Amino acid sequence: MSSFDIAAAPSRPDPADGVFLDLPGELEEALVEIGGTLPTSTMDGTFLAASTIERYRTGLAPVQQFAETMAALRAKLSTAGAGRAVVRLGNVAPALGEVQFLRLVTAILAEVAVPFQPLQRYELWKPIGTQPGKDPNMTSGTGYQAHHIDLVNATMPPDYTALLCERPDPLGGGASIVSDARAAVERLTKTSRDLLAEPVFTYGRFFELSDVGKEFRPFPVLDGEPHDRGFVRFTGKMLTRSGMDEPHANAARELAAQLIAGQEVFTLKGGDLFLNHHRVLHGRQALGEGQHDVAPDDRRRLLQAFLRDTGRPS
């Protein structure tokens, strides 16, 4: 099966607040035409080079409706908006081919913030495949992925996460789950909020990373003012792995329950670009049973990159 398979997984209720961004047919046609001429991406350290961003913007500037569509995307991702968006690019992906499509998606990201890859072993886009023999709860495993913020234990996590779906799960699983962390925090008791603001939480390892600050260990879950640019430093995996005392564990479990209560569920199709602002935690439902029987090249596969807000120090 080729990359960016546009076959849809079984439908699920879409979020009610219009996080999906469907492109007009005329814009899709123009992006196919222009997208085939975009130059190779170059990197400046871990960041997409400013010269590449400028070339991409110059190339896409004449495309009618592109500027308006990108403004709509930024509005959805803003603090005042939904904090998340899914750009439907499934019609564009097969028409361009994998290499040129990835350049176009990178150019779209650059209209939001500066794309970068803090994981030193990867280029701009990190592949996330499916490995049935791995720990099911790990990123490339087949199990449930609880709500989380990426790089939770870094002093400066990315401002945005970008996930590009090459192939959905052919067995119909792997639906994305997202939840507004700030709204969940508002529903907590004051006692829980106070406990979550204490720097006693730990999770994960910190190595081979760049441009995300230093290791934060231990860290508070509630880091900064919730209505400002603070983070809700949470991953559901730490509920069983961080060695918390019972009061802090109960507060974390209360937050996890509120995240689930407020979550939205949707399935990414091939060519979909999912982005979320750091106020929105994301995760994934378990993949369909029987992954061992699926050919490796047919299993679910995503690509992941991150963005740094240009208004934030690096």
Side-chain angles (χ1 to χ4, degrees), residues 61-75:
V63 177
Q64 292 187 359
Q65 302 183 70
F66 182 71
E68 295 89 338
T69 301
M70 293 301 97
L73 173 59
R74 289 190 294 269

Side-chain angles (χ1 to χ4, degrees), residues 9-276:
S11 61
R12 296 175 184 271
D14 285 347
D17 57 0
V19 300
F20 294 102
L21 188 58
D22 293 294
L23 306 185
E26 298 85 353
L27 178 56
E28 290 180 333
E29 293 175 3
L31 290 178
V32 170
E33 181 177 352
I34 297 295
T37 69
L38 294 176
T40 303
S41 300
T42 57
M43 301 293 289
D44 180 6
T46 63
F47 289 85
L48 185 66
S51 58
T52 295
I53 294 175
E54 183 60 31
R55 290 199 302 272
Y56 285 170
R57 286 179 176 167
T58 299
L60 290 166
V63 177
Q64 292 187 359
Q65 302 183 70
F66 182 71
E68 295 89 338
T69 301
M70 293 301 97
L73 173 59
R74 289 190 294 269
K76 289 180 183 293
L77 292 169
S78 69
T79 300
R84 59 214 182 276
V86 177
V87 185
R88 299 291 202 190
L89 295 166
N91 293 329
V92 178
L96 276 179
E98 185 173 357
V99 174
Q100 289 299 141
F101 178 63
L102 201 55
R103 293 177 187 174
L104 174 63
V105 174
T106 301
I108 290 174
L109 293 188
E111 293 296 318
V112 174
V114 181
F116 79 117
Q117 180 53 259
L119 303 173
Q120 296 172 358
R121 75 184 79 172
Y122 299 105
E123 298 297 328
L124 180 60
W125 290 94
K126 170 193 172 183
I128 302 177
T130 299
Q131 301 180 46
K134 198 170 183 179
D135 181 344
N137 294 318
M138 299 304 289
T139 302
S140 58
T142 61
Y144 172 74
Q145 302 292 312
H147 295 101
H148 63 277
I149 180 175
D150 291 300
L151 301 178
V152 65
N153 61 335
T155 55
M156 286 184 56
D159 290 301
Y160 300 87
T161 293
L163 291 168
L164 178 63
C165 181
E166 281 195 344
R167 293 188 299 270
D169 178 13
L171 299 180
S176 296
I177 55 175
V178 298
S179 192
D180 187 329
R182 299 183 186 186
V185 168
E186 290 296 322
R187 296 192 294 270
L188 298 177
T189 64
K190 183 180 184 302
T191 298
S192 290
R193 289 197 299 270
D194 290 343
L195 287 166
L196 293 173
E198 296 177 3
V200 299
F201 300 90
T202 61
Y203 179 78
R205 295 176 294 172
F206 191 91
F207 66 102
E208 295 183 353
L209 295 171
S210 298
D211 297 297
V212 289
K214 301 177 181 179
E215 182 174 14
F216 202 174
R217 184 184 181 94
F219 56 83
V221 170
L222 304 186
D223 179 20
E225 292 298 324
H227 294 293
D228 189 23
R229 296 187 61 84
F231 289 92
V232 178
R233 294 178 178 274
F234 182 81
T235 171
K237 294 178 182 178
M238 70 185 187
L239 295 177
T240 58
R241 300 186 185 184
S242 69
M244 293 176 282
D245 61 31
E246 196 60 24
H248 290 93
N250 285 338
R253 283 193 285 266
E254 184 183 348
L255 176 56
Q258 290 298 336
L259 289 167
I260 293 171
Q263 76 180 11
E264 296 170 344
V265 182
F266 55 87
T267 299
L268 295 176
K269 304 175 185 178
D272 281 354
L273 174 64
F274 167 60
L275 300 96
N276 72 284

Side-chain angles (χ1 to χ4, degrees), residues 269-291:
K269 304 175 185 178
D272 281 354
L273 174 64
F274 167 60
L275 300 96
N276 72 284
H277 188 269
H278 61 67
R279 89 164 200 230
V280 177
L281 275 60
H282 64 274
R284 188 201 70 200
Q285 293 183 343
L287 301 184
E289 294 185 7
Q291 293 294 323

